[in-house]
């Protein structure tokens, strides 16, 4: 039996297209080492995105793939993750303590953007990343309620705020600083100043990702974020109905104009499954998010059901990803999280000289 060669190993690996980077691992430069010792092949794979829920699957697929080669008797796959800081808009400097900022936008209210934002943040954390969430809705902050957090952030120096930690993610919101029933009767300049302070005066600690939950629309806050905040990518949340898709297109176009990459589209409330009889119905229409992604050549990141448990979980201060960690909806959120992070890992240039990489086993 002839020994297998490195070229044969690489050729075989190219047959597997990773679903999150949408390339084979060799072309994506994720294969860091191939060691051959007789019939034993040892691979070193380094992913650029958190993938705790995917590592076993990837290892199994690569083991099976390489095991089919003549001359291979044993396959060992070692997988690690290095999350790097990626390029943001031109002329916008990175923020200390934050590698990547992901903006979650909708263009229209009532599509479940905040619920999606908090569950996406928790899903990234569940996959192994260090994550924060900034509630950028000054007029109607919802993250404190969704995260089950009360109380005010502390300040060690009288100038900066300590983020409040809930379910292993760091959070900041105007809702931590004012009473829940107090209306914020502020004009645009005050709102944008408040957003800047919440972002820059918070002592974020070594975040791989900061999720910014934007208010609906394309107004002052969105433009401030797009022009002054180093956003690595944006995610658009919509429902299948035409009116929601119309506003989602505006949000997508806004990010394109300010040169913020749109990582993809999430279709929320895609299908309703009756909790009594199991009947499935597309009450908001069907396929709108997918057709929009095709029209604008952006990724369709996934579809989430209209499920009463999602609403109940966030109202109770324990979002679905932590309330039902093994459930089907959580599985969808984590799949979407890997797609978002995988897409980002392959785009732009890394700020390797400015940010040390964090290794997640």
């Amino acid at each position: 039996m002839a020994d297998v060669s490195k070229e044969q190993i690489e050729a075989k690996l190219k047959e597997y297209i990773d679903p999150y980077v949408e390339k084979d691992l060799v072309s994506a430069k994720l294969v860091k080492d191939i060691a051959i010792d007789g019939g034993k092949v040892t691979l070193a794979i380094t992913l650029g995105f958190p993938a705790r829920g995917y590592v076993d699957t990837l290892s199994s697929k690569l083991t099976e793939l390489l095991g089919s080669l003549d001359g291979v008797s044993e396959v060992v796959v070692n997988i690690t993750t290095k999350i790097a800081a990626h390029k943001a808009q031109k002329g916008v400097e990175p923020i200390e303590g934050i590698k990547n900022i992901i903006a979650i936008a909708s263009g229209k209210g009532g599509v479940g953007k905040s619920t999606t934002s908090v569950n996406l943040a928790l899903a990234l954390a569940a996959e192994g990343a260090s994550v924060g969430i900034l509630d950028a809705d000054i007029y109607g902050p919802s993250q404190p309620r969704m995260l089950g957090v009360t109380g005010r952030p502390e300040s060690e120096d009288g100038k900066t705020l300590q983020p409040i930690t809930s379910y292993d993610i760091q959070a900041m919101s105007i809702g931590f600083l004012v009473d829940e029933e107090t209306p914020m009767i502020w004009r645009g300049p005050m709102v944008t100043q408040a957003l800047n302070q919440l972002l820059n005066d918070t002592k974020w600690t070594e975040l791989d990702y900061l999720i910014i939950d934007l208010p609906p629309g394309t107004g002052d806050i969105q433009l401030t974020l797009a022009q002054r905040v180093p956003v690595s990518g944006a995610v658009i949340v919509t429902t299948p109905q035409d009116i929601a898709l119309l506003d989602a297109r505006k949000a997508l176009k806004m990010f394109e104009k300010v040169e913020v990459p749109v990582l993809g589209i999430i279709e929320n409330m895609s299908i309703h499954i009756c909790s009594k009889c199991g009947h499935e119905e597309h009450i908001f229409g069907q396929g709108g998010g997918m057709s929009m992604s095709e029209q604008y050549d952006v990724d369709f990141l996934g579809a989430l059901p209209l499920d009463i448990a999602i609403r109940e979980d966030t109202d109770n201060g324990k979002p679905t990803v932590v309330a039902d960690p093994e459930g089907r909806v959580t599985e969808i959120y984590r799949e979407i999280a890997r797609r978002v992070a995988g897409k980002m890992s392959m785009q732009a240039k890394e700020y390797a000289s400015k940010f040390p990489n964090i290794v997640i086993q």
Side-chain angles (χ1 to χ4, degrees):
M1 183 172 64
D3 289 342
V4 68
S5 68
K6 182 178 179 180
E7 289 72 24
Q8 288 176 297
I9 297 295
E10 289 183 341
K12 199 66 176 176
L13 288 172
K14 287 182 179 181
E15 295 179 13
Y16 177 72
I17 304 300
D18 184 277
Y20 305 112
V21 301
E22 298 177 340
K23 292 182 178 181
D24 69 85
L25 300 178
V26 176
S27 299
K29 299 181 180 179
L30 301 180
V31 180
K32 302 304 180 183
D33 187 52
I34 300 174
I36 302 172
D37 183 8
K40 180 180 179 180
V41 176
T42 302
L43 288 181
I45 307 291
T46 301
L47 302 177
F49 58 97
R52 192 170 282 161
Y54 172 55
V55 166
D56 288 345
T57 298
L58 177 59
S59 179
S60 177
K61 288 184 177 295
L62 296 182
T63 299
E64 181 180 359
L65 189 68
L66 297 183
S68 66
L69 281 172
D70 289 339
V72 175
S73 58
E74 182 183 358
V75 179
V76 177
V77 182
N78 297 315
I79 302 173
T80 57
T81 297
K82 288 185 180 180
I83 302 172
H86 293 83
K87 186 179 179 181
Q89 313 95 302
K90 293 178 181 177
V92 183
E93 290 297 314
I95 296 173
E96 185 177 355
I98 305 173
K99 288 185 178 181
N100 301 290
I101 294 178
I102 302 173
I104 312 294
S106 63
K108 176 178 175 57
V111 300
K113 172 189 50 59
S114 292
T115 300
T116 302
S117 296
V118 70
N119 276 296
L120 181 60
L122 291 164
L124 285 167
E127 289 297 318
S130 174
V131 184
I133 186 166
L134 174 65
D135 188 349
D137 194 341
I138 303 299
Y139 295 121
S142 56
Q143 293 303 335
R145 171 66 67 91
M146 291 183 171
L147 288 167
V149 176
T150 58
R152 305 211 169 194
E154 297 179 356
S155 177
E156 295 178 350
D157 56 11
K159 298 178 181 179
T160 59
L161 296 173
Q162 296 292 328
I164 291 180
T165 300
S166 179
Y167 306 120
D168 296 324
I169 65 172
Q170 300 172 42
M172 183 52 66
S173 169
I174 195 71
F176 295 147
L177 304 172
V178 299
D179 185 84
E180 190 175 49
E181 296 182 2
T182 300
M184 305 305 294
I185 310 174
W186 289 352
R187 295 190 183 275
M190 293 180 67
V191 173
T192 54
Q193 182 181 357
L195 173 61
N196 279 324
Q197 289 182 316
L198 287 175
L199 176 62
N200 293 295
D201 292 348
T202 299
K203 293 190 71 173
W204 306 103
T205 305
E206 297 300 326
L207 295 181
D208 295 316
Y209 305 101
L210 176 67
I211 301 297
I212 298 187
D213 176 19
L214 286 174
T218 54
D220 287 339
I221 287 184
Q222 291 83 355
L223 287 174
T224 295
L225 177 126
Q227 293 171 347
R228 303 180 190 174
V229 177
V231 179
S232 302
V235 173
I236 309 297
V237 179
T238 186
T239 58
Q241 65 192 113
D242 290 342
I243 192 67
L245 290 164
L246 180 64
D247 289 332
R249 288 184 177 93
K250 294 176 183 177
L252 187 149
K253 285 293 186 181
M254 180 195 73
F255 285 116
E256 287 183 346
K257 285 186 177 181
V258 295
E259 298 182 351
V260 172
V262 175
L263 301 171
I265 296 168
I266 298 173
E267 185 177 274
N268 198 26
M269 308 181 199
S270 178
I271 187 171
H272 175 251
I273 302 174
C274 179
S275 59
K276 300 296 183 182
C277 68
H279 174 67
E280 298 183 5
E281 188 174 10
H282 295 273
I283 60 176
F284 290 125
Q286 185 174 359
M290 179 65 79
S291 63
M292 179 179 165
S293 71
E294 293 172 351
Q295 179 182 357
Y296 292 98
D297 193 27
V298 296
D299 283 0
F300 183 71
L301 298 170
L304 290 156
L306 179 60
D307 190 321
I308 191 172
I310 298 176
R311 192 273 301 167
E312 291 175 340
D313 291 339
T314 50
D315 279 355
N316 292 330
K318 194 172 185 180
T320 304
V321 170
V322 290
D324 186 17
E326 304 301 324
R328 174 57 184 151
V329 173
T330 294
E331 184 182 341
I332 296 172
Y333 277 122
R334 291 183 66 165
E335 176 74 15
I336 291 173
R338 290 192 292 266
R339 289 189 183 279
V340 169
K343 177 79 172 176
M344 179 177 289
S345 74
M346 297 306 295
Q347 75 172 28
K349 295 180 181 179
E350 300 179 356
Y351 287 126
S353 61
K354 292 186 178 181
F355 292 87
N357 293 337
I358 293 178
V359 179
I360 304 169
Q361 299 294 342

